[in-house]
Amino acid sequence: HGLPERYVLALAAADPRKNLPTLLRAYAQLPEAVRRGHPLVTVWAPPRLTAAAQALAQELGVAADVRYVFAPDDDALAAIYT
């Protein structure tokens, strides 16, 4: 998935119960240097729910620091965790 060595990980992040908007707002309050060195990676964000998250990330100015990984297989998921 081409992820950097360090990142902030959120699982099932686009599920409304996971409250991605609050996570994005908190992430946006981190210093830019921290965000650039630790992008926010959301895993299993259903594409149909991702548009709202992308719009909010854009509004908050963090869209370049947020990445979405859709339905990784078991090997890819294991690599994301390590």
Side-chain angles (χ1 to χ4, degrees):
H1 291 284
L3 297 176
E5 184 177 325
R6 296 174 182 247
Y7 47 87
V8 176
L9 180 61
L11 299 175
D15 181 324
R17 296 171 294 166
K18 299 296 182 176
N19 202 356
L20 182 58
T22 297
L23 176 60
L24 287 170
R25 288 183 183 96
Y27 183 75
Q29 292 185 25
L30 293 172
E32 184 176 351
V34 173
R35 291 192 321 263
R36 298 286 176 199
H38 299 82
L40 175 61
V41 175
T42 63
V43 178
W44 296 316
R48 64 180 171 73
L49 298 175
T50 303
Q54 289 172 324
L56 180 57
Q58 185 70 34
E59 177 185 322
L60 294 169
V62 296
D65 303 318
V66 179
R67 300 182 188 180
Y68 303 90
V69 177
F70 300 103
D73 62 27
D74 289 344
D75 290 336
L77 186 58
I80 290 168
Y81 272 112
T82 58

Coordinates of all heavy atoms in Angstrom, one line a residue:
H1 N 0.8 -1.2 0.0 CA 0.0 0.0 0.0 C 0.8 1.3 0.0 O 0.3 2.4 0.1 CB -1.0 0.0 1.2 CG -2.0 -1.0 1.0 ND1 -3.1 -0.8 0.2 CD2 -2.2 -2.3 1.5 CE1 -3.9 -1.9 0.2 NE2 -3.4 -2.8 1.0
G2 N 2.1 1.1 0.0 CA 3.0 2.3 -0.1 C 2.9 3.2 1.1 O 3.1 4.4 0.9
L3 N 2.7 2.7 2.3 CA 2.6 3.5 3.5 C 4.0 3.9 4.0 O 5.0 3.1 3.9 CB 1.8 2.8 4.6 CG 0.4 2.5 4.2 CD1 -0.2 1.7 5.4 CD2 -0.4 3.7 4.0
P4 N 4.1 5.1 4.6 CA 5.4 5.5 5.2 C 5.7 4.6 6.4 O 4.9 3.9 6.9 CB 5.2 6.9 5.6 CG 3.7 7.1 5.8 CD 3.1 6.1 4.8
E5 N 6.9 4.8 7.0 CA 7.3 4.0 8.1 C 6.4 4.3 9.4 O 6.1 3.5 10.2 CB 8.8 4.3 8.5 CG 9.3 3.5 9.6 CD 10.8 3.8 9.8 OE1 11.5 4.0 8.9 OE2 11.2 3.7 11.0
R6 N 6.1 5.6 9.5 CA 5.3 6.0 10.7 C 3.9 6.6 10.2 O 3.9 7.4 9.3 CB 6.0 7.1 11.5 CG 7.3 6.5 12.1 CD 8.1 7.6 12.8 NE 9.3 7.1 13.3 CZ 9.6 7.0 14.6 NH1 8.7 7.5 15.5 NH2 10.7 6.5 15.0
Y7 N 2.9 6.3 11.0 CA 1.6 6.9 10.7 C 0.6 6.6 11.8 O 0.9 5.8 12.7 CB 1.0 6.3 9.4 CG 1.1 4.8 9.3 CD1 0.0 4.0 9.8 CD2 2.1 4.1 8.6 CE1 0.1 2.6 9.7 CE2 2.2 2.8 8.5 CZ 1.2 2.0 9.1 OH 1.2 0.6 9.0
V8 N -0.5 7.4 11.8 CA -1.5 7.2 12.8 C -2.6 6.3 12.1 O -3.0 6.6 11.0 CB -2.2 8.6 13.1 CG1 -3.4 8.4 14.1 CG2 -1.2 9.5 13.8
L9 N -3.0 5.2 12.8 CA -3.9 4.3 12.1 C -5.3 4.3 12.7 O -5.5 4.4 13.9 CB -3.3 2.9 12.4 CG -4.0 1.7 11.8 CD1 -4.1 1.8 10.3 CD2 -3.4 0.4 12.3
A10 N -6.3 4.3 11.8 CA -7.7 4.3 12.2 C -8.3 3.2 11.4 O -8.2 3.1 10.2 CB -8.4 5.6 11.9
L11 N -9.0 2.2 12.1 CA -9.6 1.1 11.5 C -11.1 1.3 11.4 O -11.7 1.9 12.3 CB -9.4 -0.2 12.3 CG -7.9 -0.6 12.4 CD1 -7.8 -1.8 13.3 CD2 -7.3 -0.8 11.0
A12 N -11.7 0.9 10.2 CA -13.1 1.1 10.0 C -13.5 2.6 10.2 O -14.6 2.9 10.7 CB -14.0 0.2 10.9
A13 N -12.7 3.5 9.7 CA -12.8 4.9 10.1 C -14.0 5.6 9.5 O -14.5 6.6 10.0 CB -11.5 5.6 9.7
A14 N -14.5 5.1 8.3 CA -15.6 5.8 7.7 C -17.0 5.3 8.3 O -18.0 5.8 7.9 CB -15.6 5.6 6.2
D15 N -16.9 4.3 9.1 CA -18.2 3.8 9.8 C -18.6 4.9 10.7 O -17.9 5.4 11.5 CB -17.8 2.5 10.6 CG -19.0 1.9 11.3 OD1 -19.9 2.7 11.8 OD2 -19.1 0.7 11.4
P16 N -19.9 5.3 10.6 CA -20.4 6.5 11.4 C -20.1 6.3 12.9 O -19.9 7.2 13.7 CB -21.9 6.5 11.1 CG -22.0 6.0 9.7 CD -20.9 4.9 9.7
R17 N -20.1 5.0 13.4 CA -19.9 4.8 14.8 C -18.5 5.1 15.2 O -18.2 5.2 16.4 CB -20.2 3.3 15.2 CG -21.7 3.0 14.9 CD -21.9 1.5 15.1 NE -21.2 0.8 14.0 CZ -21.0 -0.5 13.9 NH1 -21.4 -1.2 14.8 NH2 -20.3 -1.0 12.9
K18 N -17.6 5.1 14.3 CA -16.1 5.4 14.6 C -15.8 6.9 14.7 O -14.7 7.3 15.1 CB -15.2 4.8 13.6 CG -15.4 3.3 13.5 CD -14.9 2.6 14.8 CE -15.0 1.1 14.7 NZ -14.5 0.4 15.9
N19 N -16.8 7.7 14.3 CA -16.7 9.2 14.5 C -15.4 9.8 13.8 O -14.6 10.5 14.5 CB -16.7 9.6 16.0 CG -17.2 11.0 16.2 OD1 -17.4 11.7 15.2 ND2 -17.3 11.4 17.4
L20 N -15.2 9.5 12.6 CA -14.1 10.0 11.8 C -14.0 11.5 11.8 O -13.0 12.1 11.9 CB -14.1 9.4 10.4 CG -12.9 9.9 9.5 CD1 -11.6 9.5 10.1 CD2 -13.1 9.3 8.1
P21 N -15.2 12.2 11.8 CA -15.1 13.7 11.8 C -14.3 14.2 13.0 O -13.5 15.1 12.9 CB -16.5 14.2 11.8 CG -17.2 13.1 11.1 CD -16.6 11.8 11.5
T22 N -14.6 13.6 14.2 CA -13.9 14.1 15.4 C -12.4 13.7 15.3 O -11.5 14.5 15.7 CB -14.5 13.5 16.7 OG1 -15.8 13.9 16.8 CG2 -13.7 13.8 17.9
L23 N -12.1 12.6 14.8 CA -10.7 12.2 14.6 C -10.0 13.2 13.7 O -8.9 13.6 13.9 CB -10.6 10.8 14.1 CG -9.1 10.3 13.8 CD1 -8.2 10.3 15.0 CD2 -9.2 8.9 13.2
L24 N -10.6 13.5 12.6 CA -10.0 14.4 11.6 C -9.8 15.8 12.2 O -8.8 16.4 12.0 CB -10.9 14.6 10.4 CG -10.9 13.4 9.4 CD1 -12.0 13.5 8.4 CD2 -9.5 13.2 8.8
R25 N -10.8 16.3 13.0 CA -10.6 17.6 13.7 C -9.5 17.6 14.7 O -8.7 18.5 14.8 CB -11.9 18.0 14.4 CG -13.0 18.4 13.4 CD -14.3 18.9 14.1 NE -15.3 19.2 13.1 CZ -16.2 18.3 12.7 NH1 -16.3 17.1 13.2 NH2 -17.1 18.7 11.7
A26 N -9.3 16.5 15.4 CA -8.2 16.4 16.4 C -6.9 16.3 15.6 O -5.9 16.9 16.0 CB -8.4 15.1 17.3
Y27 N -6.9 15.5 14.6 CA -5.6 15.4 13.8 C -5.2 16.7 13.2 O -4.0 17.0 13.2 CB -5.9 14.3 12.7 CG -4.7 14.0 11.8 CD1 -3.6 13.3 12.3 CD2 -4.6 14.6 10.6 CE1 -2.5 13.0 11.5 CE2 -3.4 14.3 9.8 CZ -2.4 13.5 10.3 OH -1.3 13.3 9.5
A28 N -6.2 17.5 12.8 CA -5.9 18.8 12.2 C -5.3 19.8 13.2 O -4.6 20.7 12.8 CB -7.2 19.4 11.6
Q29 N -5.5 19.5 14.5 CA -4.9 20.4 15.5 C -3.4 20.0 15.8 O -2.7 20.8 16.5 CB -5.7 20.3 16.7 CG -7.1 21.0 16.5 CD -7.9 21.0 17.8 OE1 -7.4 21.0 18.9 NE2 -9.2 21.1 17.6
L30 N -2.9 18.9 15.3 CA -1.5 18.6 15.4 C -0.7 19.6 14.6 O -1.1 20.1 13.6 CB -1.2 17.2 15.0 CG -1.8 16.1 15.8 CD1 -1.6 14.7 15.0 CD2 -1.2 16.0 17.1
P31 N 0.5 19.9 15.1 CA 1.4 20.7 14.3 C 1.6 20.1 12.9 O 1.7 18.9 12.7 CB 2.7 20.8 15.1 CG 2.3 20.4 16.5 CD 1.2 19.5 16.3
E32 N 1.8 21.0 11.9 CA 1.9 20.5 10.5 C 3.1 19.5 10.4 O 3.0 18.5 9.7 CB 2.1 21.7 9.6 CG 2.2 21.2 8.1 CD 2.3 22.4 7.2 OE1 2.2 23.6 7.6 OE2 2.6 22.1 6.0
A33 N 4.2 19.8 11.1 CA 5.4 18.9 11.0 C 5.1 17.5 11.5 O 5.6 16.5 11.0 CB 6.6 19.5 11.8
V34 N 4.2 17.4 12.5 CA 3.8 16.1 13.1 C 3.0 15.4 12.1 O 3.2 14.2 11.8 CB 3.1 16.3 14.4 CG1 2.6 15.0 14.9 CG2 4.1 16.9 15.5
R35 N 2.0 16.1 11.5 CA 1.1 15.5 10.5 C 1.9 15.0 9.3 O 1.6 14.0 8.8 CB 0.0 16.5 10.1 CG -1.0 16.8 11.1 CD -2.2 17.5 10.6 NE -1.9 18.5 9.6 CZ -1.8 19.8 9.8 NH1 -1.9 20.3 11.0 NH2 -1.5 20.7 8.8
R36 N 2.8 15.8 8.8 CA 3.6 15.4 7.6 C 4.5 14.2 7.9 O 4.6 13.4 7.0 CB 4.6 16.6 7.2 CG 3.9 17.8 6.8 CD 3.2 17.7 5.4 NE 2.5 18.9 5.1 CZ 1.5 19.0 4.2 NH1 1.2 18.0 3.5 NH2 0.9 20.1 4.1
G37 N 4.9 14.0 9.1 CA 5.7 12.9 9.5 C 4.9 11.7 9.9 O 5.4 10.6 10.0
H38 N 3.6 11.9 10.2 CA 2.7 10.8 10.6 C 1.3 11.0 10.0 O 0.4 11.5 10.6 CB 2.6 10.9 12.2 CG 3.8 10.7 12.9 ND1 4.7 11.7 13.1 CD2 4.4 9.6 13.4 CE1 5.7 11.2 13.8 NE2 5.6 9.9 14.0
P39 N 1.2 10.6 8.7 CA -0.1 10.8 8.1 C -1.2 9.9 8.8 O -0.8 8.9 9.4 CB 0.1 10.3 6.6 CG 1.4 9.5 6.7 CD 2.2 10.0 7.8
L40 N -2.4 10.3 8.6 CA -3.5 9.5 9.2 C -3.9 8.5 8.1 O -4.3 8.9 7.0 CB -4.7 10.5 9.5 CG -6.0 9.8 10.0 CD1 -5.7 9.0 11.3 CD2 -7.1 10.8 10.2
V41 N -3.9 7.2 8.5 CA -4.2 6.2 7.5 C -5.5 5.5 8.0 O -5.6 5.0 9.2 CB -3.1 5.1 7.5 CG1 -3.5 3.9 6.6 CG2 -1.8 5.7 6.9
T42 N -6.6 5.5 7.2 CA -7.8 4.9 7.5 C -7.9 3.6 6.7 O -7.7 3.6 5.5 CB -9.0 5.8 7.2 OG1 -9.1 6.1 5.8 CG2 -8.9 7.1 8.0
V43 N -8.3 2.6 7.4 CA -8.4 1.2 6.8 C -9.9 0.8 6.8 O -10.5 0.9 7.8 CB -7.5 0.2 7.5 CG1 -7.7 -1.2 6.9 CG2 -6.1 0.7 7.5
W44 N -10.3 0.2 5.7 CA -11.7 -0.3 5.5 C -12.7 0.8 5.4 O -13.8 0.7 5.7 CB -12.1 -1.2 6.6 CG -11.3 -2.5 6.6 CD1 -10.9 -3.3 5.6 CD2 -10.8 -3.1 7.8 NE1 -10.2 -4.3 6.0 CE2 -10.1 -4.3 7.4 CE3 -10.9 -2.8 9.1 CZ2 -9.5 -5.1 8.2 CZ3 -10.2 -3.7 10.0 CH2 -9.6 -4.8 9.6
A45 N -12.3 2.0 5.0 CA -13.2 3.1 4.8 C -14.0 2.8 3.6 O -13.5 2.9 2.5 CB -12.4 4.4 4.7
P46 N -15.3 2.5 3.7 CA -16.0 2.2 2.5 C -16.0 3.3 1.5 O -16.3 4.5 2.0 CB -17.5 1.9 3.0 CG -17.3 1.5 4.5 CD -16.1 2.3 4.9
P47 N -15.8 3.1 0.3 CA -15.7 4.2 -0.7 C -16.9 5.1 -0.7 O -16.8 6.3 -0.8 CB -15.5 3.5 -2.0 CG -14.9 2.2 -1.7 CD -15.4 1.8 -0.3
R48 N -18.1 4.5 -0.4 CA -19.3 5.3 -0.5 C -19.4 6.3 0.7 O -20.1 7.3 0.7 CB -20.6 4.4 -0.5 CG -20.8 3.6 0.7 CD -22.0 2.7 0.6 NE -22.1 1.8 1.7 CZ -22.4 2.1 3.0 NH1 -22.6 3.3 3.3 NH2 -22.4 1.1 3.9
L49 N -18.7 6.0 1.8 CA -18.7 6.9 2.9 C -17.4 7.8 3.0 O -17.3 8.7 3.8 CB -18.7 6.1 4.2 CG -19.9 5.2 4.4 CD1 -19.8 4.4 5.7 CD2 -21.2 6.1 4.5
T50 N -16.5 7.6 2.1 CA -15.2 8.3 2.1 C -15.3 9.7 1.6 O -14.6 10.6 2.1 CB -14.2 7.5 1.3 OG1 -14.1 6.2 1.9 CG2 -12.8 8.2 1.5
A51 N -16.3 10.0 0.7 CA -16.4 11.3 0.1 C -16.6 12.4 1.2 O -15.9 13.5 1.1 CB -17.5 11.4 -0.9
A52 N -17.4 12.2 2.2 CA -17.6 13.1 3.2 C -16.4 13.3 4.1 O -16.0 14.5 4.4 CB -18.8 12.7 4.1
A53 N -15.6 12.3 4.3 CA -14.4 12.4 5.1 C -13.4 13.2 4.3 O -12.7 14.0 4.8 CB -13.9 11.0 5.4
Q54 N -13.3 12.9 3.0 CA -12.3 13.6 2.2 C -12.7 15.1 2.1 O -11.8 16.0 2.2 CB -12.3 13.0 0.8 CG -11.6 11.7 0.7 CD -11.8 11.0 -0.6 OE1 -12.8 11.1 -1.3 NE2 -10.7 10.3 -1.0
A55 N -14.0 15.4 2.0 CA -14.4 16.8 2.0 C -14.0 17.5 3.3 O -13.5 18.7 3.3 CB -15.9 16.9 1.7
L56 N -14.2 16.9 4.4 CA -13.9 17.5 5.7 C -12.4 17.6 5.8 O -11.9 18.7 6.3 CB -14.5 16.6 6.9 CG -14.1 17.1 8.3 CD1 -14.7 18.6 8.5 CD2 -14.7 16.2 9.3
A57 N -11.6 16.6 5.4 CA -10.2 16.7 5.5 C -9.7 17.9 4.6 O -8.8 18.6 5.1 CB -9.5 15.4 5.0
Q58 N -10.3 18.1 3.5 CA -10.0 19.2 2.6 C -10.3 20.6 3.4 O -9.5 21.5 3.4 CB -10.7 19.1 1.3 CG -10.4 20.2 0.3 CD -9.0 20.0 -0.2 OE1 -8.5 18.9 -0.4 NE2 -8.3 21.1 -0.5
E59 N -11.5 20.6 3.9 CA -11.9 21.8 4.7 C -11.0 22.2 5.8 O -10.7 23.3 6.1 CB -13.3 21.6 5.2 CG -13.9 22.7 6.0 CD -15.2 22.4 6.6 OE1 -16.0 21.8 5.9 OE2 -15.5 22.8 7.7
L60 N -10.5 21.1 6.5 CA -9.6 21.3 7.6 C -8.1 21.5 7.2 O -7.3 21.8 8.1 CB -9.7 20.1 8.5 CG -11.0 19.8 9.2 CD1 -11.0 18.5 9.9 CD2 -11.3 20.9 10.3
G61 N -7.8 21.4 5.9 CA -6.5 21.6 5.5 C -5.5 20.4 5.7 O -4.3 20.6 5.7
V62 N -6.1 19.2 5.9 CA -5.2 18.0 6.1 C -5.4 17.0 5.1 O -4.9 15.9 5.2 CB -5.5 17.4 7.5 CG1 -5.2 18.4 8.6 CG2 -6.9 17.0 7.7
A63 N -6.0 17.3 4.0 CA -6.3 16.2 3.0 C -5.0 15.6 2.5 O -5.0 14.4 2.2 CB -7.1 16.8 1.8
A64 N -4.0 16.3 2.4 CA -2.7 15.8 1.9 C -2.1 14.8 2.9 O -1.2 14.0 2.5 CB -1.7 16.9 1.6
D65 N -2.5 14.8 4.1 CA -2.0 14.0 5.2 C -2.9 12.8 5.5 O -2.6 12.1 6.5 CB -1.7 14.9 6.4 CG -0.8 16.0 6.1 OD1 0.2 15.9 5.4 OD2 -1.1 17.1 6.6
V66 N -4.0 12.6 4.8 CA -4.9 11.6 5.1 C -4.9 10.6 4.0 O -5.0 11.0 2.8 CB -6.3 12.1 5.4 CG1 -7.3 10.9 5.7 CG2 -6.3 13.1 6.6
R67 N -4.7 9.3 4.3 CA -4.7 8.3 3.3 C -5.8 7.2 3.6 O -6.1 7.0 4.7 CB -3.4 7.6 3.2 CG -2.3 8.6 2.9 CD -1.0 8.0 2.8 NE 0.0 9.1 2.7 CZ 1.3 8.8 2.6 NH1 1.8 7.6 2.6 NH2 2.2 9.8 2.4
Y68 N -6.3 6.6 2.5 CA -7.4 5.6 2.7 C -6.9 4.3 2.1 O -6.5 4.3 1.0 CB -8.7 6.1 2.0 CG -9.1 7.5 2.5 CD1 -8.7 8.6 1.9 CD2 -10.0 7.6 3.6 CE1 -9.0 9.9 2.4 CE2 -10.4 8.8 4.1 CZ -9.9 9.9 3.5 OH -10.3 11.2 4.0
V69 N -7.1 3.2 2.8 CA -6.8 1.9 2.4 C -8.1 1.1 2.4 O -8.7 0.9 3.4 CB -5.7 1.2 3.3 CG1 -5.4 -0.2 2.8 CG2 -4.4 2.0 3.3
F70 N -8.4 0.6 1.2 CA -9.7 -0.1 1.1 C -9.5 -1.6 1.0 O -8.8 -2.1 0.2 CB -10.4 0.4 -0.2 CG -10.7 1.8 -0.3 CD1 -9.9 2.7 -1.0 CD2 -11.7 2.4 0.5 CE1 -10.2 4.0 -1.1 CE2 -12.0 3.7 0.5 CZ -11.2 4.6 -0.3
A71 N -10.2 -2.3 1.9 CA -10.3 -3.7 2.0 C -8.9 -4.4 1.7 O -8.8 -5.2 0.8 CB -11.3 -4.2 1.0
P72 N -8.0 -4.2 2.6 CA -6.7 -4.9 2.4 C -6.8 -6.4 2.6 O -7.7 -6.8 3.4 CB -5.8 -4.3 3.4 CG -6.7 -3.9 4.5 CD -8.0 -3.4 3.8
D73 N -6.1 -7.2 1.9 CA -6.1 -8.7 2.2 C -5.3 -8.9 3.5 O -4.7 -8.0 4.1 CB -5.5 -9.5 1.0 CG -4.1 -9.2 0.7 OD1 -3.3 -8.7 1.6 OD2 -3.7 -9.3 -0.5
D74 N -5.3 -10.2 3.9 CA -4.7 -10.5 5.2 C -3.2 -10.1 5.3 O -2.8 -9.6 6.3 CB -4.9 -11.9 5.6 CG -6.3 -12.3 5.9 OD1 -7.1 -11.4 6.2 OD2 -6.7 -13.5 5.9
D75 N -2.5 -10.4 4.2 CA -1.1 -10.0 4.2 C -0.8 -8.5 4.3 O 0.0 -8.0 5.0 CB -0.4 -10.6 3.0 CG -0.3 -12.1 3.0 OD1 -0.3 -12.7 4.2 OD2 -0.2 -12.7 2.0
A76 N -1.6 -7.8 3.6 CA -1.5 -6.3 3.6 C -1.9 -5.8 4.9 O -1.2 -4.9 5.5 CB -2.4 -5.7 2.5
L77 N -3.0 -6.3 5.5 CA -3.4 -5.9 6.8 C -2.3 -6.1 7.9 O -2.0 -5.3 8.7 CB -4.7 -6.5 7.2 CG -5.3 -6.0 8.5 CD1 -5.6 -4.5 8.5 CD2 -6.6 -6.8 8.8
A78 N -1.7 -7.3 7.8 CA -0.6 -7.6 8.8 C 0.6 -6.6 8.6 O 1.1 -6.1 9.6 CB -0.1 -9.0 8.5
A79 N 0.9 -6.2 7.4 CA 1.9 -5.3 7.1 C 1.5 -3.9 7.6 O 2.4 -3.2 8.1 CB 2.2 -5.2 5.6
I80 N 0.3 -3.5 7.6 CA -0.2 -2.2 8.1 C 0.0 -2.2 9.6 O 0.4 -1.2 10.2 CB -1.6 -2.0 7.7 CG1 -1.7 -1.7 6.2 CG2 -2.2 -0.8 8.5 CD1 -3.1 -1.7 5.6
Y81 N -0.3 -3.3 10.3 CA -0.1 -3.3 11.7 C 1.3 -3.3 12.2 O 1.6 -3.0 13.3 CB -0.8 -4.6 12.3 CG -2.3 -4.4 12.6 CD1 -3.2 -5.1 11.8 CD2 -2.7 -3.6 13.6 CE1 -4.6 -5.0 12.1 CE2 -4.1 -3.5 13.9 CZ -5.0 -4.2 13.1 OH -6.3 -4.1 13.4
T82 N 2.3 -3.7 11.3 CA 3.6 -3.8 11.8 C 4.5 -2.6 11.3 O 4.2 -1.8 10.5 CB 4.3 -5.1 11.4 OG1 4.3 -5.2 10.0 CG2 3.6 -6.2 12.0

